[in-house]
Amino acid sequence: MTDALHATPLADQAEYAQAVRVAVDAAAAYYGAGDSALDDDAYDRLVRGIEAYETAHPEHVLPGSPTGKVAGGAVTGDVPHTVPMLSLDNVFSAEDLAGWAAGLERRLGRPVEMWSVEPKLDGLAVSARYHGGRLVQLVTRGDGVAGEDVSHAIGTVEGLPEALPEPVTVEIRGEVLMTAAQFEEACAKRTAHDGTTFANPRSAAAGTLRAKDRPYRCEMTFFGYGALPLPPDDDGDLAGRLRELPHSRIMDLVADLGVQTTGATPVGVIAVATVEQVQARVEEIAAVRAELPFGIDGIVVKADLAADQEQAGFSSRAPRWAIAYKLPAVEKVTKLVGVEWNVGRTGVIAPRAVLEPVRLDGSVVTYATLHNPADITRRGLMLGDHVTVYKAGDVIPRVEAPVVHLRTGAERMITFPDACPRCGGDIDTTQQRWRCARGRACHAVASVSYAVGRDQLDIEGLGETRIVQLVDAGLIADFADLFTLTREQILGLDRMGETSTDNLLAAIERAKAKPLNKVFCALGVRGTGRSMSRRIARHFGSMDAIRAADAEALQAVDGIGPEKAAAVVEELAELAPLIDRLVAAGVTMTEPGATAPGATGAGGATETDAGQPAVDLPLTGMAVVVTGAMTGPLEALSRTEMNELIERAGGKASSSVSARTSLLVAGEKAGSKRSKAESLGVRIATPEEFAATVHDFI
Ligand code: IVH
């Protein structure tokens, strides 16, 4: 593809002036609140159209034109950058990339010896200034010449330590973003606070980085992609190395100082020798994009060697030695054709947008989250609106905002239900999230199906059809009722013979012996999935201890902040009658191997701050990743079971390899995680070796 195919052609001077206005507004919205109504593709096309027109009609160029300016000229700040923070030029295809590389090599008069390839992170550029090993200032990119001081965010950005192990003076440049998990957490906090939500992880990070007095705190993540000497008292020795080392080695040096770099992302920074290898690496990264725990909007290709970079130099806008290979936008405009109201297993009535299908990040999106009724009103959404929709990586597709200037007048109001769409009963509208007044009982089939699922009570023979029969017959209203079912009651159901009845009763009996973490997970308390339920069960040891915990005590569990803690306390109070019936039925209410907080006595473990027993378990303090097919004693274990095993043995299970990974268990057909671990020097074990280490816990 060539640039011309991407550009929006402009017919005359009036269209050119209009295009400049739209682009300037969009850039201001994007770099300001982070909520541009134009998606990236449309913006790029527009700017290229403007450039083409300006080349043909240099006499018409408007002073406000966004071309040739960093950030479209949208932002200014008051902290001057030591060296301008530039932008990157873009390519969109293998052909474009080869053309750019050939151009660079022509300029240098020799082949580029080494290229480095890394993800283009979709966040905000910041400069982190370290003096004598202490992080003293954080500055946004702003207009590239001067940025905004956001030092108040120091301490809330993972990967950007406040102190380095050595008293060095250096400026680290990189991207601040929210991972999918941090974004979900931030949205939950904001919703609990004022019922609104963030449009996408990028604008959440932009807003959070600037916010000075929010009553809640959201975490962000930093990945560095460059380092510079920091005048006036720059570190002579380090400055010399930064001027001489290849980019990929500088990333290692920065990582050694304890600052997270693009090298610590699951795709890392890889140095290769030829443009064909660069293209192959680009394709590998693009293929795993949807699985990354954060959004990327492209891949950055850099001439790796300092000498090549120095000779290539810079244009007014971007370095000539680097290029962004853009990937398709993860934010697009489509049409909102309907709104469905679904009742979840906790009785929450959630609106869901029905969209004209649109391709985003490797999949076709037809439905997207619409949060809650108040949020629909606040954003002024209407049926038939063009809306921006975002989906990247793990993030659930979401409607961001209506594109108001595309309205035709044919749009209609969205009607809100006045009765529960499932049971026709009353709706509790006192909270931002609407809920059926019958709560969990409204959608008993969904909550029971969840409770008996494989990762919770694992009751075989209890599929959805059976549960519907039991609910319709009035035999169960929740999963606690399962434990008091009689043989006659089950036999009385349609198509239920003696053998299947006995099998089902035996499976229900077996479920009583499940450890507390499974029973707790079965309750379906919001925000407590499998892994969180394991942490809670291990931390408290018994259901009594969990029920006795107040919000403060719950926050001692890793990953529970004030909002989640309060929600858990509230939901547990609501579930009290159900839990009482589980206790009465003889369901297990303790976690094997866990010691309740504060408990002492024979062999009693003391608790660390993170709520982990401070005993010497084989994986204590270790972050473990599993990849490939398991063999030997671990052959039959699912990924969930492997993760449970890791946590039982004191470790933390994680899904991606980074510099912080302590061990990779690599089975047969292990792919990119294995090569990533090898390049980072992470220890690798076979399933058999790992099984030997944790054999007491299998
Ligand atoms: S290198 C002189 N590497 O993309 C500019 N930039 O569109 C060198 N970005 O302003 C930038 N990931 O904020 C570089 N791995 C990466 C990046 C990256 C994201 C951002 C950066 C830059 C913008 C340009």
Side-chain angles (χ1 to χ4, degrees):
M1 249 185 294
T2 65
D3 272 1
L5 281 177
H6 283 277
T8 303
L10 301 170
D12 54 29
Q13 199 175 350
E15 260 189 32
Y16 163 73
Q18 163 75 1
V20 167
R21 251 193 320 276
V22 172
V24 167
D25 284 355
Y30 186 78
Y31 289 96
D35 57 356
S36 165
L38 282 187
D39 62 51
D40 270 13
D41 274 354
Y43 180 78
D44 284 343
R45 268 199 310 275
L46 190 64
V47 172
R48 269 189 304 282
I50 293 172
E51 274 165 1
Y53 185 87
E54 290 176 348
T55 311
H57 307 276
E59 71 284 7
H60 294 165
V61 174
L62 289 167
S65 166
T67 58
K69 289 186 188 145
V70 171
V75 204
T76 52
D78 53 11
V79 183
H81 291 301
T82 48
V83 174
M85 281 185 90
L86 298 179
S87 193
L88 287 172
D89 286 329
N90 299 325
V91 292
F92 298 87
S93 64
E95 207 186 326
D96 288 355
L97 175 72
W100 169 77
L104 175 57
E105 292 183 334
R106 261 198 310 278
R107 176 178 277 272
L108 296 178
R110 60 171 187 273
V112 168
E113 211 173 293
M114 197 57 84
W115 302 97
S116 66
V117 191
E118 62 192 83
K120 182 170 188 302
L121 306 157
D122 192 11
L124 293 105
V126 300
S127 137
R129 299 176 174 185
Y130 284 94
H131 274 283
R134 297 212 72 80
L135 179 54
V136 293
Q137 200 173 30
L138 257 193
V139 186
T140 64
R141 179 167 69 162
D143 65 357
V145 176
E148 193 181 329
D149 190 319
V150 288
S151 303
H152 54 265
I154 292 175
T156 62
V157 189
E158 209 177 287
L160 203 52
E162 289 175 60
L164 303 180
E166 294 166 45
V168 289
T169 292
V170 64
E171 174 176 344
I172 314 284
R173 291 185 174 181
E175 206 83 350
V176 167
L177 51 77
M178 277 193 191
T179 62
Q182 287 172 334
F183 176 60
E184 301 296 347
E185 187 74 22
C187 289
K189 285 180 179 172
R190 180 155 168 191
T191 306
H193 178 65
D194 63 9
T196 63
T197 185
F198 294 107
N200 59 51
R202 189 186 178 284
S203 64
T208 302
L209 197 58
R210 295 216 176 98
K212 280 208 179 105
D213 37 59
R214 266 199 205 143
Y216 54 96
R217 191 177 124 139
C218 303
E219 273 210 357
M220 295 168 285
T221 299
F222 177 84
F223 291 102
Y225 53 64
L228 308 165
L230 185 55
D233 53 348
D234 67 12
D235 200 305
D237 176 41
L238 179 64
R241 278 191 290 162
L242 293 180
R243 270 189 278 273
E244 281 161 20
L245 286 176
H247 168 68
S248 50
R249 291 287 303 120
I250 292 176
M251 292 297 91
D252 293 340
L253 189 153
V254 171
D256 288 346
L257 287 173
V259 177
Q260 191 163 256
T261 71
T262 44
T265 63
V267 289
V269 178
I270 306 262
V272 296
T274 67
V275 178
E276 290 70 33
Q277 288 168 326
V278 169
Q279 179 61 32
R281 185 65 199 143
V282 163
E283 284 162 23
E284 280 170 11
I285 297 179
V288 298
R289 181 192 195 187
E291 286 138 46
L292 294 177
F294 42 75
I296 65 171
D297 55 348
I299 292 129
V300 183
V301 180
K302 300 173 182 173
D304 200 37
L305 301 189
D308 288 347
Q309 293 190 2
E310 199 187 338
Q311 196 186 332
F314 299 85
S315 74
S316 67
R317 209 184 82 99
R320 292 202 184 89
W321 42 265
I323 198 84
Y325 192 124
K326 293 281 274 196
L327 293 175
V330 289
E331 184 188 58
K332 289 234 176 100
V333 174
T334 186
K335 215 166 176 183
L336 176 65
V337 292
V339 174
E340 290 179 355
W341 299 84
N342 297 312
V343 184
R345 62 186 153 79
T346 59
V348 168
I349 302 169
R352 178 166 87 152
V354 186
L355 306 166
E356 241 168 41
V358 59
R359 179 162 275 282
L360 279 178
D361 198 13
S363 64
V364 175
V365 173
T366 327
Y367 297 104
T369 306
L370 264 181
H371 216 58
N372 60 39
D375 200 50
I376 294 179
T377 309
R378 214 174 279 115
R379 287 191 278 167
L381 276 176
M382 297 182 81
L383 287 181
D385 259 342
H386 284 87
V387 289
T388 42
V389 178
Y390 178 94
K391 177 192 176 290
D394 290 346
V395 178
I396 300 163
R398 44 179 49 229
V399 170
E400 295 181 319
V403 186
V404 178
H405 73 263
L406 292 180
R407 283 201 174 139
T408 61
E411 295 76 19
R412 286 166 295 122
M413 297 291 288
I414 295 170
T415 39
F416 293 177
D418 45 21
C420 170
R422 187 170 178 85
C423 70
D426 288 342
I427 301 180
D428 174 358
T429 58
T430 54
Q431 312 272 324
Q432 302 270 3
R433 266 176 203 266
W434 287 10
R435 232 181 141 192
C436 172
R438 293 174 61 213
R440 285 179 159 76
C442 173
H443 201 350
V445 174
S447 54
V448 174
S449 292
Y450 177 77
V452 304
R454 199 158 166 247
D455 291 323
Q456 290 78 29
L457 297 178
D458 194 17
I459 304 185
E460 249 177 83
L462 206 49
E464 182 152 330
T465 335
R466 234 2 127 224
I467 298 171
V468 170
Q469 274 185 311
L470 288 165
V471 172
D472 287 353
L475 295 176
I476 61 168
D478 58 40
F479 78 93
D481 289 338
L482 292 171
F483 297 101
T484 52
L485 284 175
T486 65
R487 194 163 186 274
E488 289 63 41
Q489 286 174 326
I490 302 179
L491 266 175
L493 298 175
D494 260 4
R495 297 181 308 283
M496 202 67 193
E498 303 244 342
T499 314
S500 21
T501 301
D502 290 338
N503 287 345
L504 179 56
L505 281 168
I508 294 175
E509 196 54 34
R510 277 197 302 276
K512 290 186 187 170
K514 291 276 172 198
L516 175 64
N517 76 78
K518 304 275 184 182
V519 178
F520 187 84
C521 191
L523 294 174
V525 174
R526 254 181 283 147
T528 64
R530 292 182 309 233
S531 160
M532 180 56 79
S533 297
R534 284 198 293 273
R535 266 179 268 160
I536 293 175
R538 258 214 326 257
H539 180 84
F540 290 103
S542 73
M543 184 69 93
D544 282 346
I546 300 176
R547 295 173 88 179
D550 58 13
E552 199 184 320
L554 273 166
Q555 285 176 60
V557 178
D558 196 14
I560 300 194
E563 289 78 16
K564 189 175 277 185
V568 171
V569 169
E570 192 187 313
E571 281 206 48
L572 283 178
E574 189 180 301
L575 286 161
L578 184 148
I579 301 172
D580 288 343
R581 283 184 291 122
L582 292 174
V583 173
V587 174
T588 304
M589 292 292 159
T590 51
E591 185 71 356
T595 314
T600 49
T606 50
E607 294 269 322
T608 64
D609 285 351
Q612 311 290 345
V615 286
D616 248 355
L617 296 171
L619 304 180
T620 298
M622 289 175 72
V624 183
V625 178
V626 179
T627 188
M630 291 299 103
T631 43
L634 306 176
E635 186 170 359
L637 300 195
S638 67
R639 268 302 179 268
T640 305
E641 287 163 342
M642 281 299 291
N643 291 344
E644 286 169 354
L645 170 61
I646 291 165
E647 293 186 11
R648 272 200 306 282
K652 198 165 179 224
S654 151
S655 58
S656 57
V657 174
S658 74
R660 275 179 290 175
T661 307
S662 332
L663 177 71
L664 176 75
V665 184
E668 283 166 15
K669 300 208 182 77
S672 62
K673 285 187 189 166
R674 192 189 177 102
S675 23
K676 177 81 201 290
E678 281 166 357
S679 71
L680 290 171
V682 168
R683 219 176 95 206
I684 301 178
T686 63
E688 287 71 18
E689 287 162 351
F690 182 67
T693 317
V694 296
H695 66 276
D696 287 348
F697 299 83
I698 298 176

